[in-house]
Amino acid sequence: GSYYLTLKENQSDLLEWSYFVSQYMPLDTVIYDEVKCGEVWTHTLEVWDVPEQTTDFPDLKRFVRIKREVFNKRSRETKTGIAFALTNMTLPAAELLRIDRSRWAIENTSHHTRDTVFSEDTSRSRLAAQALSVFRNTINGFLQHLDVPVLRSVRSFSARPIKLLRLLKPK
């Protein structure tokens, strides 16, 4: 099957190889900008063909570098991050960027919301943790289905639970 593997910090040999390869001219490049929460995010994805038997990965075809720059409009600061990935797909850079961005959909719609709204990562609850997770996911999904801002709504419902009950009432 197809794979798109992001390299992690504990893969030092592959990361060292990645920095070496990325010194050369890429085969294909795509740049994608998006504005969110007062920040301008610039994603630059570059692709290199990989010669056969370069690494231990079977059928490895492409090496990918993703550079993310985040410019904060208010503070005028820019943060930069670089990630590397390996794939056996010979897709153009634009398609690989779509695959890379789609990997973040779950993080952005579920995990990030559960952590920022419900403070799930800091929760010390071990008793009924799975039930709490189901409850949080249900509320998150329900509010997203209604297309209401989750954080603002949860704060509002905490102060006025009757508003939430009205939403739950069938029409």
Side-chain angles (χ1 to χ4, degrees):
S2 298
Y3 62 83
Y4 181 92
L5 304 170
T6 304
L7 298 180
K8 304 292 183 193
E9 293 297 322
N10 62 350
Q11 298 162 319
S12 57
D13 289 346
L14 281 172
L15 284 174
E16 185 178 324
W17 175 80
S18 300
Y19 281 106
F20 173 76
V21 170
S22 64
Q23 294 175 23
Y24 296 95
M25 182 69 78
L27 173 71
D28 193 9
T29 302
V30 65
I31 299 172
Y32 171 72
D33 293 315
E34 63 182 327
V35 178
K36 54 184 180 180
C37 302
E39 297 176 328
V40 179
W41 288 61
T42 303
H43 307 268
T44 304
L45 186 135
E46 298 170 306
V47 178
W48 289 262
D49 273 338
V50 176
E52 288 186 35
Q53 300 302 315
T54 303
T55 68
D56 294 333
F57 286 91
D59 303 324
L60 178 64
K61 301 280 192 262
R62 296 270 166 97
F63 162 72
V64 178
R65 178 176 68 180
I66 308 103
K67 181 178 178 184
R68 294 179 184 92
E69 291 182 338
V70 181
F71 174 73
N72 187 302
K73 292 179 180 181
R74 183 176 295 139
S75 69
R76 316 296 280 168
E77 293 178 347
T78 301
K79 296 178 186 173
T80 303
I82 293 178
F84 298 102
L86 305 174
T87 184
N88 64 348
M89 296 178 275
T90 55
L91 299 171
E95 270 302 298
L96 291 172
L97 179 65
R98 187 190 60 72
I99 290 169
D100 186 74
R101 297 296 302 138
S102 69
R103 292 173 49 246
W104 289 96
I106 293 170
E107 175 67 30
N108 292 338
T109 57
S110 179
H111 299 298
H112 178 71
T113 302
R114 285 174 19 198
D115 187 36
T116 55
V117 176
F118 302 110
S119 302
E120 191 170 73
D121 286 350
T122 58
S123 174
R124 308 281 292 154
S125 173
R126 299 294 173 252
L127 210 57
Q130 190 172 9
L132 280 171
S133 181
V134 169
F135 176 72
R136 291 174 183 131
N137 282 339
T138 302
I139 289 184
N140 188 21
F142 175 70
L143 293 175
Q144 286 181 358
H145 176 74
L146 293 176
D147 205 24
V148 296
V150 178
L151 178 59
R152 208 172 323 142
S153 299
V154 168
R155 286 181 180 161
S156 173
F157 298 147
S158 295
R160 295 176 205 88
I162 298 298
K163 286 176 69 176
L164 177 61
L165 292 174
R166 286 189 189 123
L167 285 175
L168 295 171
K169 182 180 175 185
K171 294 182 181 191

